[in-house]
Amino acid sequence: MATIINEVSRTFNEFLIIPGLTTKECTPDKVELKAPLVKYKKGESSKITLNTPFVSSIMQSVSDSGMAIALAKEGGLSFIFGSQSIEQQAEMVKKVKQYKAGFVISRANITAEQTLKDVLDLRNVTGFSTIGVTHDGSPNGVFLGIVTGRDYRVSRDSADKKVKDFMTPLPKLIVGKVGISLSEANNLIWENKLNALPILDENNCLQYFVFRKDYDNHIDNPNEILDDQKRLAVGAGINTRDYKERVPALVEAGVDVVCIDSSDGFSEWQKETIQYIKSTYNNTVFVGAGNIVDKEGFLYLAEAGADFIKVGVGGGSICITREQKGIGRGQATALIEVAQARDEYFAKTGVYVPICSDGGIVHDYHMTLALAMGADFLMMGRYFARFDESPTRKLLVSGNYVKEYWGEGSNRARNWQRYDMGGNDSLKFEEGVDSFVPYAGKLKDNLEITTGKIKSTMCSCGVLTLKDLQRESKITLVSSTSIIEGGAHDVIVKETKN
């Protein structure tokens, strides 16, 4: 018969952190959220350090170049999704590495042959009032002009009026050329009383916009994560099928770290992939692996050479692997066991392999619990999918704004490589769903609230670093009754309008 593990498989929702002594030194402004991303030897430090312990999931609906730029500026890192062509993924990596603060890739574009109705629909979906007009409607097409709210009047203009008949065309615009400094761009904006300055390349293709409002609101990003050339750091997802072609293209594009994207990390396919990359690039390319849920899986990937290991099977909000296959483990239980295995491995070998908790996060306090239980950093999909910077559409559904969010194992994504176990190239059955998540606004604003909660909890535990949180925090199981007690109860809560 099968080996039976009698320990209950638990989730984050079943735990709380017990407060420790809050000293006068424990104030949120002194809390540090730095975390190692890749493995290092005892006495050394990680070659890549996160300033915020968050990475975005390797998903079509979460991590493109826009999300990667926004998250890197806040100290985290994105893994650009791999379920696309090698060329497209490499191009996204290049966009991140070529990004300069203040130079914004246009995320609202249209063709000259489209109509005012298309402009209004695009504005409603994206929330952007400045729309670039390019020959093919792409962010980097040949630039033809610009459309802002001053170019049309909904009350007077026909909905089928062509964009070319009311846009401000290129000959009437002041533009900058690629290579211009941010200071020079802002001088042009102020001298000419502009709201937006298009930045074009030598072929008159749109590359960026520089906005007056970004200058007005510009503050330094002290937490941004940079490479040794002062470029934003970025990761990319890979699979165990085409890695021999995909990894070279990503490395040439400037990727800082790759991660094998798979629902089953305890696999010989992953071992072969890791060892091929390590031997081919003489250990200069960092490779994350996973997902696994126990000590045995961790040791297999650590000994294969993984630079970090993802923990979690079936816990994602759009994941249905557990109900489809009966495979997985409660995220809290999995994380606790793997964290202990990581520490034992470090004590035995002197090599510290960071672990990433992937899935199971519902509330912000779950993040603090995951970090206290031993996670070095967290990978999240639903959390980031809600923001302006995710690549999906913003829609109005039943009176509420939402953003689309679908799993890599859904028919929409058709990322069969993620669930590949050999055999035919196809998606046999779905392990993810297609869904909506409540729209939440800008990443920066939400991230400040989330990290503020984590820092406040750490102060209540009397610690200032994540390592101290892991060493000194006390965690208790809670009953179903105490979970109810933890929320508002026995009162009539007033409804407030935003």
Side-chain angles (χ1 to χ4, degrees), residues 466-487:
L466 295 179
K467 281 300 178 189
D468 287 340
L469 178 68
Q470 292 172 2
R471 281 192 294 260
E472 300 180 25
S473 61
K474 295 176 289 184
I475 298 174
T476 181
L477 276 168
V478 294
S479 67
S480 58
T481 305
S482 65
I483 292 174
I484 296 172
E485 179 187 62

Side-chain angles (χ1 to χ4, degrees), residues 117-138:
K117 182 182 183 302
D118 295 321
V119 169
L120 297 176
D121 289 345
L122 183 59
R123 180 171 180 171
N124 185 53
V125 169
T126 64
F128 300 132
S129 59
T130 299
I131 297 173
V133 184
T134 60
H135 81 289
D136 59 357
S138 72

Side-chain angles (χ1 to χ4, degrees), residues 68-74 77 93 95-101 224-227 229-234 254 256:
I69 289 168
L71 187 51
K73 288 167 68 176
E74 299 303 320
L77 187 128
V93 170
K95 285 183 179 179
V96 180
K97 303 311 284 188
Q98 293 169 357
Y99 172 82
K100 296 180 180 178
E224 64 184 0
I225 177 170
L226 305 173
D227 63 17
Q229 298 180 47
K230 304 299 182 184
R231 302 175 301 178
L232 294 178
V234 62
D256 295 278

Side-chain angles (χ1 to χ4, degrees), residues 340-389:
Q340 183 177 355
R342 175 205 58 204
D343 293 343
E344 291 173 355
Y345 187 81
F346 181 47
K348 179 181 178 181
T349 67
V351 177
Y352 187 92
V353 182
I355 58 175
C356 167
S357 180
D358 179 16
I361 300 292
V362 179
H363 306 292
D364 284 359
Y365 83 89
H366 289 171
M367 301 177 195
T368 316
L369 275 167
L371 294 167
M373 288 175 178
D376 293 284
F377 57 97
L378 316 177
M379 176 173 280
M380 296 181 289
R382 182 194 63 85
Y383 178 82
F384 290 112
R386 304 172 302 144
F387 303 145
D388 285 324
E389 293 81 1

Side-chain angles (χ1 to χ4, degrees), residues 55-65 67 78-84 89 92 236-237 261 310 316-319 358 379-385 390-392 404-410 413 415 418-419 431-435 437:
V55 299
S56 64
S57 295
I58 311 169
M59 300 174 69
Q60 295 174 6
S61 56
V62 179
S63 299
D64 67 347
S65 55
M67 175 61 71
S78 285
F79 285 90
I80 291 175
F81 69 94
S83 51
Q84 59 180 320
Q89 189 184 25
M92 286 190 181
D261 183 27
K310 291 199 297 168
S317 60
I318 41 67
C319 182
D358 179 16
M379 176 173 280
M380 296 181 289
R382 182 194 63 85
Y383 178 82
F384 290 112
S390 74
T392 62
E404 296 175 302
Y405 180 46
W406 60 90
E408 290 296 292
S410 67
N415 183 7
R418 187 177 197 276
Y419 304 88
E431 293 189 44
V433 300
D434 196 344
S435 65
V437 289

Side-chain angles (χ1 to χ4, degrees), residues 267-307:
S267 147
E268 289 185 344
W269 302 110
Q270 290 221 5
K271 181 178 180 180
E272 285 184 6
T273 303
I274 295 167
Q275 293 183 340
Y276 176 84
I277 296 171
K278 288 296 180 181
S279 63
T280 301
Y281 290 95
N282 194 27
N283 286 316
T284 58
V285 173
F286 300 116
V287 187
N291 288 24
I292 50 87
V293 293
D294 61 5
K295 176 180 180 178
E296 191 176 2
F298 171 84
L299 292 176
Y300 183 82
L301 293 178
E303 290 167 1
D307 289 293

Side-chain angles (χ1 to χ4, degrees), residues 99-174:
Y99 172 82
K100 296 180 180 178
F103 292 83
V104 180
I105 296 172
S106 179
R107 297 176 73 86
N109 305 281
I110 205 162
T111 69
E113 295 300 322
Q114 288 180 265
T115 65
L116 175 58
K117 182 182 183 302
D118 295 321
V119 169
L120 297 176
D121 289 345
L122 183 59
R123 180 171 180 171
N124 185 53
V125 169
T126 64
F128 300 132
S129 59
T130 299
I131 297 173
V133 184
T134 60
H135 81 289
D136 59 357
S138 72
N140 300 120
V142 176
F143 185 69
L144 303 177
I146 195 171
V147 172
T148 71
R150 293 179 298 181
D151 292 314
Y152 56 85
R153 294 181 67 179
V154 176
S155 60
R156 294 190 179 183
D157 291 324
S158 170
D160 59 3
K161 188 174 183 179
K162 297 275 189 174
V163 169
K164 64 184 179 182
D165 294 329
F166 62 86
M167 71 180 187
T168 303
L170 175 57
K172 293 185 178 181
L173 291 170
I174 294 171

